[in-house]
Structure formats: C-alpha cells, structure tokens
Amino acid sequence: MDISNIFKQVVLTPKSPVPLYNQIAQVLTDNIQNGTLPAGTKLPPERELASLLQVSRTTAINAYRRLEEQGLIHTKVGSGTYVATLSSSTAPTAQTVPWSQLFTPCLNTQSSSIIRELVASAAADDTLSLAAGMPDPELYPLHDFNRLFGLQASRLNGADLGHIPTEGYTPLRQAVTTMLAAKGYAGKPENTMIVSGSQQGLYLVTKIFLEPGDYVIVESPTYLGAVQMFSAANARLLSLPSAAGLPLDLLEDYLIRYRPKLFYVMPTFQNPNGRVMPLEERRELLKLAAKHRLVIVEDDPYGELYYDKKPPLSLKALDPYGGVIALGTFSKMLFPGLRTGWVVAPETVINRFALKKQYIDLHSSNLSQCLLYDYLSAGLLQEHLAVVRAEYKKRRDFFAGALERYCSPLLNFYTPSGGFYFWCALNKGMLTRQLLHEATHTGVSFVPGEAFYADAAGSRELRLCFVTQPPARLLEAVKRLGKALQTVAANRPFPPKHPVFTPII
Amino acid sequence: MDISNIFKQVVLTPKSPVPLYNQIAQVLTDNIQNGTLPAGTKLPPERELASLLQVSRTTAINAYRRLEEQGLIHTKVGSGTYVATLSSSTAPTAQTVPWSQLFTPCLNTQSSSIIRELVASAAADDTLSLAAGMPDPELYPLHDFNRLFGLQASRLNGADLGHIPTEGYTPLRQAVTTMLAAKGYAGKPENTMIVSGSQQGLYLVTKIFLEPGDYVIVESPTYLGAVQMFSAANARLLSLPSAAGLPLDLLEDYLIRYRPKLFYVMPTFQNPNGRVMPLEERRELLKLAAKHRLVIVEDDPYGELYYDKKPPLSLKALDPYGGVIALGTFSKMLFPGLRTGWVVAPETVINRFALKKQYIDLHSSNLSQCLLYDYLSAGLLQEHLAVVRAEYKKRRDFFAGALERYCSPLLNFYTPSGGFYFWCALNKGMLTRQLLHEATHTGVSFVPGEAFYADAAGSRELRLCFVTQPPARLLEAVKRLGKALQTVAANRPFPPKHPVFTPII
C-alpha cells in the first residue's frame, strides 16, 4: 500500500488554534488506531513528510515526536520510523520521571557527604565519638534560654515574628557588633549580617565570589567543609602549608601567578591543627594582602574558647585595608541548634550577600535571633564562656594526660591552647586508615587526616575532639584508641614509604 | 642611556627559593628606587626582557605584573611599559579592594529587590499596607508557643539542640507527613523534607533542576518570588494564562516544543488571582503531565486557609505518576518567623535536595522544628486554623463590602474563597502606576499587577491583602484607596490604548 495516499487526503488548517504538528499527529493517530497503518508500517522520513504536507521540517519532527511520546510510533536509528505494536499503543504503561536526567550536574558528591555523615554519626550507637566538633550538650545553657523565652512572651511583638530584614534582626545585629567591638572590630551594625550558621556565611562567600575555575588559597590542612564548598563551586584550590608558620613567599608567589579570588584562613585555633597565628605574622599577612588587594576570608569559630592566654587580635580587627571578610558563629560557644552565625564585611559586600540570601531563605530564624539578642543583652554569654573555658581546659589537660599514657609513643600529638581539637600524627610505618579500621572494632571514632587536605596528604594524621564528652568517657575513648593503636603496631605490614596507586580496572 | 646594559649585569639564581620573576622585579625595584631608571623611562617589551635575561615570557610578564601592583611601573596600551612617577612609588596609597570587580555576575538585581522592599515595608510609617502577604500578627499563637517552650525545657535533650539531619528533625518530618496524609498525600517521612520556609524549597528546586537557558512554565499571573528566582537562574519563562482555566492545548504545545524542565503552579487560592483549579482540571493536567513526564512544582501555602468550602485534593495527593514536587509552609498558617516549610517529593529528589541544603545551612533551625513538632502533636494547628479561618472569612466579606462601597465601579475585583488576596482590575483608561502614585499621597500601599507577570502585562491590575489588619484599619485603607481612585479618574489623561515605549537615551 502506498501510504503517501493517506497524506494526500490530509487537510490542514493553518489558522486553527490547534498547532499544525498536532493536526498531523491526530491524522496519524486515527489511522494507526483504525488499523489503516498497522504495526510495523514504515512511515515516510521527516523531510518527506514535510514535503508531502507542505509544512516545515520542524512541524514534521514535532508531529513524530508527539506520536513517539504517546508510544504510537518508534524510531530505529539508521533505519526509519515505524508504527509501534498495538499493545504499547493501546495501553500506555505508567510513565515514571527520569529524575537523574533532570538534575543539574552534581559536583564532588562523594566528598560532600562526609560532613553529613559526621553530623549523622552524632546520634550513633555505643561507639565513642572523638569525631564531630560539637560542644558538650550537657553544657548547653538550656535553662537560661528557657527562662528568656518565658520572659519574652509578654515582650515579643508581631514584628519580631513576622518577616524581618534579610540582613538580620536589627537588635541582634547591633548586639553582635557591640560584642565584636570588644574584640577590636571597628565596624557598624551595617557591616554585620546574621546568617544561618557560619556554614551559610561560607556559602554566601562562595556564591558571590567564586566562578568555576577561580583560584582559592586554603591552608593545608584546613576545614573540611570549606574545601568541599569551594570544590563544589569548581574553584581551584591552592594549598598553603601553614603548620610551621605562613610561608609568605609562597603566598605572594600564588598571588602573582594565579590572582586568586580568596584566601580562606583560620588564624586562631585552626581546625584541625589548633595553631594560633602570632600577631607579627598576622600583620605581615595583612601587609601582603593589602599590597595585592587580596580578599581574606577569616573563619573564627573558636576564638573565644581559649584555655591559656587570650589569642591575638583577629585579622578583621587588624585589617588596614578593608579586605577581610570575617565569619563567626554561636554554634561552638553555645550550641549548633541555634543555626546563627554572622558575617562582618564592607557594606557593599553585605548588600550583595543579602541579595543572595533573600533567595535562599528570606532571612534566618527569628526565634533564634530574638533569644540570642536577649541572651547577649543580659551579659549571659560572657558568664557561659567562663564556665566552658574552665571546663574545656580541664578536659584538654585530662585528655593530653590520657593520650600520653595510653597512646604515646605510637601517636604524637600537639596540645592546643584553645578550640576543640588535638591534631595527632602516627609513627612512621602506620597509616591512619589502618587505625580507623581497628578503631571501629574497639569502638571509637575520629576524623582521619586526609579529610583536611585538598591534596592526598594526611595519611598519618588524625583529629580528636576533646570537648564533647565528660572525662570518664574521654578516658574510655582514649583507652580504646590506644588498644587499636597497639593492634595496628603489632600487625603492621610496614607499608611502602611511597604510596602505591593501584588502578581500578 | 642603553638600559639593556642594566639587564646584562643581572645575575639570576634559578635554584633560589625566591622565584625568578621576583628576582627580576627586585633588580628593577632597586634601579628605580636608586634613580638609575627615572620616571618615564621606557622599559623593554616583555618578549625582549625575556630574551635579554634568558627566561620564559611568563616569568617576564610576572615580573612586570608585580612591579605594576607595587605602583612602580605602568603600562600604556599600544605604547609600552614605563617607570612610574616617584610619588606613586615612594608612598603607595592605601589600596582599597575593587569589590564590584570580584563579584560573580548578578542577574536581575533590580527585580529581585522587590520582595526585600515588601518585607522591609512591613515596618513602615503610617501608610496602611495592603501589600505584604502576611497573617495578622495579632493572631499569632504566641501564647501556645511560649507554653510549649516552657514544657520543653525539661524534655529537650542535647541531641535536639545539636546537629540534626539535614532533611529535618525526625519527629517533625513524621508529624508533617501525618498532617499531609490527612490531605490525601501518600508519602512516607522519607518523602518529606523540612526547609527554611517554602522560599528555600523553591531555591532548592531551582538549584537542582535549572541550568541557564532551561525552560520553565509559569502561570500568568503568578507568584513574584518564583518569577524572580527562575529569572535569576537564567531560566526562560513560558507564560500560561490560567485565570480562565488552564489552556491544556497551549500547555501541551509548550511541552512538545520546548521540553520545559518544570511547571510551577499554585492550584489552590492562586497568588495573586485567588483561583482554585477545579478537580477535573487537576486530573486533566496530571494526565497530560504523566504523558509527557513533566515535573510539576505545586506551591500550596494557602490551601488550609479556605473560607467557604474545602478546596479539591492537591495535585500531589492526586499525582498518578510521581512527578509532582509539593512545597508547603507554616508561614501563612502560623507566622513567617518560624522559617519552616516542607518539600514532598520522591526520595531520589529529597536526597539530592539534602545534599544541596547541607552546603547552604547544614539544617534548618532546631528551635522552630522542635516547637512545631510539639505544636502539631498537641493538635493545636487545627484549633488555630479554625480560629483564623473564621476571622479571615469575616475580613474577606467586610473587605468585599468596603471595596464595593468605596472603590466600585472604578475598580473591579474578584472575591476569593480562600487565601490572602483580592485580585483587582482598574477600569479602562486608568493605569495601576497612576493609582500607585496617588496612593502614596493618600497613605495606602498595594502590589501593582505588573509584579506578577513575567512579561509586560498587568498594567491595570493590583493585588490587595485583606488578612493582615483588623476591619477598622482595612476600612480606612479601602477609603484611602477609593480617594486615590477618584483622583486618578478625575485627572486621567486617557492614556493610549497601546503602551508607548519611550526609549531611554
């Protein structure tokens, strides 16, 4: 049968509200369903169809595409278009959405799940965790917050619980600015923005400054979450080993060669290595930054958690040229569930951040912001800090003693003067991943050093958090760690000095 | 003087820790500062410099770049590189950071500020606002929330205020799932994710599904914030006029021609036009969506705020093919300051959203989530909804009466059966922007219709929110609106029927 006859009879109505391709599809549908075009019939190529019906090729393509979506025809590549078998046309199967084809490209999915796992592991089984960097829940000032909420009930007004400015609840912005002024910050409330944890501050920095391919300098080792964030933005990371002091020559070299967008740095109680950058080094860094107009992102979640002497002024407080963006949070001082942090930056940067944050969530939680304002106004933060400093100092000393007793000399550690972590290195011949494996058996967890490096370093290092648990549990955790260490040391297969890369086939 | 002599004397040390370009820069700096190379001296081109010193061209470029950053030399395009005048080299001026050069490109900044202004205007002067879509602060269930917080104090544990899963506080996910089951949703808690307001749900949808150039179908008119969000993602919007019923033919035409990523739709008490999509139309839409495997984003902030009969089941509840992503929020039912909403979607989508949200803020506010869980568990939401439904119904009727009395027949309005808004149209010959101008004088504000269209429509339309204020203030607001209308009607210059575009020179 000459199927072109079918098409010769077709009358199309160009001015109809029904598009032409739809009219064509309907004619074909009728002919398929009434059996004039049985299953297996070869249909004319699109070009020929267009010519037969005197329509554009696009219209012909759309007509076929529609029939294909309805399961009435199918195309064999290199062969042609055919009428489909009836079963699939009469009873179209339930369509499912091909979700994974619809998603935007996902970068670095694997590494980005590490933080989530750490967060999830907080509620794990009887393993003692030295991994997650959280304050001790027993020390959360829950009583004070509860009392304040009670007091607020008569004082809160609708405006406080409606929409508030994206930049933050105005009284809290003021209170945080005052709190930071006591630390030497020179800014006005307009320079302070409230965000949903310093995580969101970092997200805003990334979104506003980084385009794919941009360079970012990070310390090596550095905060896991920052590396993940920058990597997910497709930024290129330049590692700056800072444990023995910032190598300013290398830094300047980077600045000139790569013109990086940002330098992400934790000058005070660095995570993971606990280092405090000396005042003179801070000044040198800022001098260099000013010269090259480098933007510094200073992350300082632990600055108030010092156990010996007060650390030097922050980079932001010393900033001579206005190029430092400071990130802070109440998560480590009080508790993470507040989801409240801040960004301090020039107003033009804050404005840009606010524009972005508006899209993300309009503004951060009013409840947390109102409560924090009351908490700060009542001077309770300083009282609380005095309590936790004293307690964490005790734990630090206790932890150092326990490590000395149960883990030395297989494990070398650096005792921090503040913050949450002991940064440790295994003796030569042992690898952290061996220890991690053993530790799951003895019931203790920690973060392996590799998580803190943008490159493949850290294979003998590990980070231990000493604040989250009371001494009795810390002791038990260290004992378990020591046991795992002994096992690894006894069985160690003396791995090769240089890592061997086994290709995955 | 032959300055190539200077370079002939240079001794470079390739193995020095000081990079070559730095060594070269130092030689030049010395010669500039000791006057051997006075201001205005033309330096050799980079290629020649590289050849003189037998270094790579990159090294020569970096040496010059460094000197330029120090203000010691400057480059004139097309002419060459010159030693700068001494004043700028001896006393480098304080550098400021060129922030705007560092920011990532900002799309649609102008329109994106409209929401922020609406949010800010909530706390304005003596203008009566019919603009912002907020519940009445006098009706916030503050007393209940306070009491619950008091009760919680003894019950909250550290885990509740530490880090919780990105997908939400587990008991709240369960409670929201149960709440939605009563509305016909079939999902499990794994299908429900807690977000920081439905704004964040929309942000996640945008980030996970839209790449620049992707097509999105939106109703016309539609929610301002959605249009801004999609536009900022550089998506291309296809408008679907839905006021008189969804034009399914046009929708299918869009689906075939453009293969859009999403259809963003508010089937219940549409914002701004108040329309409720009938059940039969919902089914037809879903049939079409299933056929084309279209992803529908159903935004339903007002579904529980019905004043006549209950609206039909949501698209998500009717969803036969798993392609509907539902967004919801407590902001309109309770108060915006909770910053708590939800997304219901297939697990594979939720997983992807969680991965993204982790970067944004780790998780939403624990305080809001814990309180909401208690609030829902105690059955208080249904009690509260009964109260506000009754009150808002009264206000709706009162507002319709006032509009009839003070604004008809200059203004035509549609009385909604739920939600927050009256959608109005001015008589021919009047433009909303004339009214807006007059209204600022009489002291009342509203959202002009143009804000709800992706194209240039809506010039005679406006949206009035009737729930935020008690009747006495609503009456005064409508009187002021009526006065503004009278002025416009009296002075109207009978604008041309077709808009005239005056180019800005």
mmCIF file of all heavy atoms in Angstrom, chain B residues 367-387:
data_model
loop_
_atom_site.group_PDB
_atom_site.id
_atom_site.type_symbol
_atom_site.label_atom_id
_atom_site.label_comp_id
_atom_site.label_asym_id
_atom_site.label_seq_id
_atom_site.Cartn_x
_atom_site.Cartn_y
_atom_site.Cartn_z
ATOM 1 N N LEU B 367 15.154 25.045 66.995
ATOM 2 C CA LEU B 367 14.143 25.587 67.905
ATOM 3 C C LEU B 367 12.774 25.582 67.243
ATOM 4 O O LEU B 367 11.801 25.088 67.800
ATOM 5 C CB LEU B 367 14.511 27.019 68.318
ATOM 6 C CG LEU B 367 15.710 27.184 69.250
ATOM 7 C CD1 LEU B 367 16.032 28.670 69.429
ATOM 8 C CD2 LEU B 367 15.438 26.535 70.605
ATOM 9 N N SER B 368 12.716 26.116 66.031
ATOM 10 C CA SER B 368 11.438 26.137 65.310
ATOM 11 C C SER B 368 10.914 24.727 65.093
ATOM 12 O O SER B 368 9.725 24.458 65.266
ATOM 13 C CB SER B 368 11.610 26.827 63.959
ATOM 14 O OG SER B 368 11.852 28.200 64.118
ATOM 15 N N GLN B 369 11.806 23.831 64.726
ATOM 16 C CA GLN B 369 11.359 22.475 64.407
ATOM 17 C C GLN B 369 10.848 21.736 65.640
ATOM 18 O O GLN B 369 9.822 21.054 65.584
ATOM 19 C CB GLN B 369 12.489 21.682 63.735
ATOM 20 C CG GLN B 369 12.855 22.240 62.367
ATOM 21 C CD GLN B 369 13.774 21.303 61.589
ATOM 22 O OE1 GLN B 369 13.404 20.177 61.278
ATOM 23 N NE2 GLN B 369 14.959 21.756 61.264
ATOM 24 N N CYS B 370 11.552 21.890 66.758
ATOM 25 C CA CYS B 370 11.108 21.222 67.989
ATOM 26 C C CYS B 370 9.755 21.776 68.438
ATOM 27 O O CYS B 370 8.846 21.031 68.811
ATOM 28 C CB CYS B 370 12.134 21.419 69.106
ATOM 29 S SG CYS B 370 13.659 20.520 68.834
ATOM 30 N N LEU B 371 9.645 23.112 68.397
ATOM 31 C CA LEU B 371 8.396 23.727 68.832
ATOM 32 C C LEU B 371 7.239 23.319 67.920
ATOM 33 O O LEU B 371 6.142 23.018 68.396
ATOM 34 C CB LEU B 371 8.535 25.251 68.826
ATOM 35 C CG LEU B 371 9.311 25.817 70.012
ATOM 36 C CD1 LEU B 371 9.607 27.297 69.801
ATOM 37 C CD2 LEU B 371 8.508 25.626 71.302
ATOM 38 N N LEU B 372 7.499 23.306 66.626
ATOM 39 C CA LEU B 372 6.437 22.935 65.693
ATOM 40 C C LEU B 372 6.004 21.490 65.898
ATOM 41 O O LEU B 372 4.820 21.168 65.798
ATOM 42 C CB LEU B 372 6.898 23.143 64.252
ATOM 43 C CG LEU B 372 6.609 24.531 63.709
ATOM 44 C CD1 LEU B 372 7.351 24.767 62.411
ATOM 45 C CD2 LEU B 372 5.100 24.727 63.508
ATOM 46 N N TYR B 373 6.969 20.638 66.202
ATOM 47 C CA TYR B 373 6.609 19.249 66.451
ATOM 48 C C TYR B 373 5.639 19.162 67.623
ATOM 49 O O TYR B 373 4.589 18.515 67.543
ATOM 50 C CB TYR B 373 7.853 18.404 66.721
ATOM 51 C CG TYR B 373 7.503 17.074 67.305
ATOM 52 C CD1 TYR B 373 6.797 16.140 66.545
ATOM 53 C CD2 TYR B 373 7.823 16.760 68.621
ATOM 54 C CE1 TYR B 373 6.416 14.925 67.084
ATOM 55 C CE2 TYR B 373 7.455 15.543 69.161
ATOM 56 C CZ TYR B 373 6.747 14.635 68.395
ATOM 57 O OH TYR B 373 6.366 13.444 68.932
ATOM 58 N N ASP B 374 5.977 19.842 68.710
ATOM 59 C CA ASP B 374 5.093 19.825 69.880
ATOM 60 C C ASP B 374 3.730 20.425 69.545
ATOM 61 O O ASP B 374 2.689 19.929 69.970
ATOM 62 C CB ASP B 374 5.723 20.627 71.024
ATOM 63 C CG ASP B 374 6.802 19.828 71.732
ATOM 64 O OD1 ASP B 374 7.038 18.671 71.335
ATOM 65 O OD2 ASP B 374 7.412 20.363 72.674
ATOM 66 N N TYR B 375 3.761 21.497 68.785
ATOM 67 C CA TYR B 375 2.536 22.203 68.425
ATOM 68 C C TYR B 375 1.604 21.292 67.617
ATOM 69 O O TYR B 375 0.417 21.183 67.905
ATOM 70 C CB TYR B 375 2.906 23.447 67.626
ATOM 71 C CG TYR B 375 1.767 24.404 67.389
ATOM 72 C CD1 TYR B 375 1.350 25.270 68.395
ATOM 73 C CD2 TYR B 375 1.128 24.454 66.163
ATOM 74 C CE1 TYR B 375 0.316 26.160 68.181
ATOM 75 C CE2 TYR B 375 0.096 25.345 65.935
ATOM 76 C CZ TYR B 375 -0.309 26.195 66.946
ATOM 77 O OH TYR B 375 -1.337 27.084 66.723
ATOM 78 N N LEU B 376 2.182 20.607 66.642
ATOM 79 C CA LEU B 376 1.388 19.699 65.817
ATOM 80 C C LEU B 376 0.898 18.504 66.632
ATOM 81 O O LEU B 376 -0.259 18.096 66.523
ATOM 82 C CB LEU B 376 2.204 19.202 64.616
ATOM 83 C CG LEU B 376 2.628 20.252 63.583
ATOM 84 C CD1 LEU B 376 3.436 19.598 62.471
ATOM 85 C CD2 LEU B 376 1.426 20.981 62.991
ATOM 86 N N SER B 377 1.787 17.960 67.463
ATOM 87 C CA SER B 377 1.427 16.775 68.256
ATOM 88 C C SER B 377 0.256 17.068 69.181
ATOM 89 O O SER B 377 -0.578 16.201 69.436
ATOM 90 C CB SER B 377 2.601 16.329 69.125
ATOM 91 O OG SER B 377 3.735 16.164 68.347
ATOM 92 N N ALA B 378 0.217 18.302 69.684
ATOM 93 C CA ALA B 378 -0.852 18.659 70.617
ATOM 94 C C ALA B 378 -2.153 18.981 69.884
ATOM 95 O O ALA B 378 -3.144 19.363 70.518
ATOM 96 C CB ALA B 378 -0.403 19.842 71.475
ATOM 97 N N GLY B 379 -2.152 18.869 68.565
ATOM 98 C CA GLY B 379 -3.375 19.139 67.809
ATOM 99 C C GLY B 379 -3.732 20.617 67.753
ATOM 100 O O GLY B 379 -4.867 20.995 67.430
ATOM 101 N N LEU B 380 -2.770 21.470 68.082
ATOM 102 C CA LEU B 380 -3.074 22.899 68.170
ATOM 103 C C LEU B 380 -3.234 23.560 66.799
ATOM 104 O O LEU B 380 -3.919 24.579 66.686
ATOM 105 C CB LEU B 380 -1.976 23.617 68.973
ATOM 106 C CG LEU B 380 -1.922 23.224 70.450
ATOM 107 C CD1 LEU B 380 -0.666 23.759 71.111
ATOM 108 C CD2 LEU B 380 -3.165 23.746 71.167
ATOM 109 N N LEU B 381 -2.619 22.984 65.786
ATOM 110 C CA LEU B 381 -2.716 23.635 64.477
ATOM 111 C C LEU B 381 -4.166 23.675 63.988
ATOM 112 O O LEU B 381 -4.631 24.698 63.497
ATOM 113 C CB LEU B 381 -1.833 22.913 63.448
ATOM 114 C CG LEU B 381 -1.867 23.539 62.049
ATOM 115 C CD1 LEU B 381 -1.307 24.956 62.067
ATOM 116 C CD2 LEU B 381 -1.108 22.694 61.032
ATOM 117 N N GLN B 382 -4.881 22.558 64.149
ATOM 118 C CA GLN B 382 -6.267 22.538 63.681
ATOM 119 C C GLN B 382 -7.118 23.548 64.441
ATOM 120 O O GLN B 382 -7.965 24.226 63.856
ATOM 121 C CB GLN B 382 -6.850 21.119 63.791
ATOM 122 C CG GLN B 382 -6.233 20.118 62.810
ATOM 123 C CD GLN B 382 -6.142 20.630 61.367
ATOM 124 O OE1 GLN B 382 -7.081 21.264 60.864
ATOM 125 N NE2 GLN B 382 -5.016 20.406 60.709
ATOM 126 N N GLU B 383 -6.857 23.667 65.742
ATOM 127 C CA GLU B 383 -7.584 24.669 66.539
ATOM 128 C C GLU B 383 -7.313 26.074 66.012
ATOM 129 O O GLU B 383 -8.216 26.888 65.841
ATOM 130 C CB GLU B 383 -7.138 24.611 68.014
ATOM 131 C CG GLU B 383 -7.699 23.435 68.780
ATOM 132 C CD GLU B 383 -7.214 23.448 70.233
ATOM 133 O OE1 GLU B 383 -6.913 24.549 70.762
ATOM 134 O OE2 GLU B 383 -7.124 22.359 70.823
ATOM 135 N N HIS B 384 -6.030 26.337 65.769
ATOM 136 C CA HIS B 384 -5.643 27.662 65.291
ATOM 137 C C HIS B 384 -6.254 27.944 63.920
ATOM 138 O O HIS B 384 -6.754 29.053 63.661
ATOM 139 C CB HIS B 384 -4.118 27.760 65.227
ATOM 140 C CG HIS B 384 -3.625 29.072 64.702
ATOM 141 N ND1 HIS B 384 -3.706 30.231 65.442
ATOM 142 C CD2 HIS B 384 -3.082 29.422 63.516
ATOM 143 C CE1 HIS B 384 -3.215 31.244 64.728
ATOM 144 N NE2 HIS B 384 -2.830 30.773 63.553
ATOM 145 N N LEU B 385 -6.226 26.955 63.044
ATOM 146 C CA LEU B 385 -6.778 27.154 61.705
ATOM 147 C C LEU B 385 -8.262 27.487 61.778
ATOM 148 O O LEU B 385 -8.755 28.335 61.021
ATOM 149 C CB LEU B 385 -6.543 25.909 60.846
ATOM 150 C CG LEU B 385 -5.111 25.719 60.353
ATOM 151 C CD1 LEU B 385 -4.943 24.369 59.664
ATOM 152 C CD2 LEU B 385 -4.705 26.845 59.401
ATOM 153 N N ALA B 386 -8.970 26.828 62.693
ATOM 154 C CA ALA B 386 -10.398 27.120 62.845
ATOM 155 C C ALA B 386 -10.596 28.589 63.218
ATOM 156 O O ALA B 386 -11.469 29.282 62.687
ATOM 157 C CB ALA B 386 -11.012 26.200 63.899
ATOM 158 N N VAL B 387 -9.746 29.083 64.117
ATOM 159 C CA VAL B 387 -9.844 30.483 64.552
ATOM 160 C C VAL B 387 -9.567 31.437 63.397
ATOM 161 O O VAL B 387 -10.351 32.351 63.129
ATOM 162 C CB VAL B 387 -8.852 30.767 65.703
ATOM 163 C CG1 VAL B 387 -8.785 32.260 66.018
ATOM 164 C CG2 VAL B 387 -9.233 29.957 66.934
#
